[in-house]
Amino acid sequence: MPAQAQRVSTADRLDALEQQLSAMRSGNMDLLNQLGQLKSEVQAQRAQIEELQQKLEQQAQSGRSQYLDLDSRLERLEGGAAGATPVVSMPATPVPSARPATSATPAAPAVPTFQDTPPRVYGDAATLGTGAGERNAYNAAFETLKAGRYADAARMFQGFLDAHPAGTYAPNAMYWLGESYYVTQNYALAQAQFQALIDRYPTHDKAAGALLKVGLCQQGLRQLDAAEASYNQVLGRYPGTEAARVADDRLRAIQLLKVR
């Protein structure tokens, strides 16, 4: 009997081991099936990722193309607006011009051109006589700017402002001094001049163009949030003007840059 019991016990153990082995085989098959399913899912996800990456690259390329096209049109617009320079006059409260002057940006491939009409000064003959030296100094500085001698023009406009800080032509000289810095990409110096013009002569013909230039300088310095704020100020203060139109286009260009 003990031998028979031992044989039964051994058979039971063998049956149990076979059952365990069968269960392990079944479990391994399940794991293999799950592994195969996971591999398929990973491959599908990789394909989706590649498709999304391709779409993002296409969108980025489209955004770059749109930005370059818009920036090129803005540069042509700003270069063409250089001739729209208002005249200088003596009234105590000048009205902002409907088309403030702007000038070519340094990024434009062509050399910027500047145009200015001879300023008209209202007053008696004595006033006109005493202002002749001021006019001559202003015209000499402006001719130097038109000739593309920007460093010399900056020195001449600064000298003019030192000699005639409250002169009839002082606001225009401040604007063109800022412009002489701007076209050589000295954006910080240019911004300071344009801001000084706005602070001192907020109702002058050049104020709208100066505020626009503040935004352009900030954009040149990569201060996009500050540039957006300045462009929005142009839209709020001078709606319907040429400066507002350029500011609106620049806002759209910044939005495209942020999408990239």
Side-chain angles (χ1 to χ4, degrees), residues 90 120-132 135 168:
M90 286 286 289
R120 293 196 298 268
V121 179
Y122 299 98
D124 56 25
T127 301
L128 296 177
T130 57
R135 289 198 305 274
T168 303

Side-chain angles (χ1 to χ4, degrees), residues 1 6 54 99 111 113 122 127 154 170-171 191 242:
M1 290 296 294
Q6 185 176 4
Q54 184 177 4
R99 295 180 65 82
V111 176
T113 58
Y122 299 98
T127 301
Q191 181 182 343
E242 183 74 11

Side-chain angles (χ1 to χ4, degrees), residues 6-231:
Q6 185 176 4
R7 287 196 299 272
V8 171
S9 178
T10 301
D12 290 341
R13 288 199 300 272
L14 288 174
D15 289 341
L17 289 173
E18 289 178 356
Q19 291 176 2
Q20 291 177 3
L21 182 59
S22 177
M24 290 176 61
R25 288 175 179 172
S26 177
N28 288 339
M29 289 300 298
D30 291 340
L31 289 175
L32 289 174
N33 291 335
Q34 291 178 11
L35 180 60
Q37 184 178 357
L38 288 174
K39 286 183 179 179
S40 299
E41 291 177 357
V42 169
Q43 290 175 351
Q45 289 177 354
R46 285 178 177 173
Q48 291 178 356
I49 291 172
E50 291 176 358
E51 182 180 358
L52 290 173
Q53 287 177 337
Q54 184 177 4
K55 288 182 178 179
L56 286 174
E57 290 176 359
Q58 292 174 349
Q59 290 177 355
Q61 181 62 38
S62 176
R64 285 192 293 268
S65 300
Q66 292 178 18
Y67 170 75
L68 291 174
D69 178 68
L70 177 58
D71 195 60
S72 175
R73 289 188 288 112
L74 286 173
E75 289 171 358
R76 291 196 298 270
L77 174 62
E78 292 167 10
T85 305
V87 299
V88 176
S89 59
M90 286 286 289
T93 309
V95 180
S97 168
R99 295 180 65 82
T102 55
S103 60
T105 66
V111 176
T113 58
F114 306 94
Q115 298 178 9
D116 201 11
T117 56
R120 293 196 298 268
V121 179
Y122 299 98
D124 56 25
T127 301
L128 296 177
T130 57
E134 180 185 343
R135 289 198 305 274
N136 291 338
Y138 173 83
N139 289 337
F142 190 79
E143 289 299 321
T144 303
L145 178 66
K146 287 199 301 182
R149 293 159 48 201
Y150 305 123
D152 291 338
R155 285 192 293 269
M156 293 176 72
F157 278 121
Q158 186 61 65
F160 173 91
L161 291 169
D162 291 341
H164 308 281
T168 303
Y169 302 84
N172 286 56
M174 293 176 71
Y175 182 89
W176 294 119
L177 175 58
E179 189 68 29
S180 67
Y181 291 138
Y182 179 77
V183 295
T184 54
Q185 299 184 17
N186 290 310
Y187 297 126
L189 292 174
Q191 181 182 343
Q193 288 300 319
F194 292 127
Q195 189 62 55
L197 169 59
I198 297 167
D199 294 340
R200 187 172 177 183
Y201 303 100
T203 60
H204 192 270
D205 293 341
K206 294 288 189 184
L211 183 54
L212 173 65
K213 287 290 184 172
V214 168
L216 292 172
C217 290
Q218 290 166 333
Q219 188 170 353
L221 294 169
R222 304 298 182 185
Q223 300 170 358
L224 298 186
D225 291 339
E228 279 187 292
S230 295
Y231 294 146

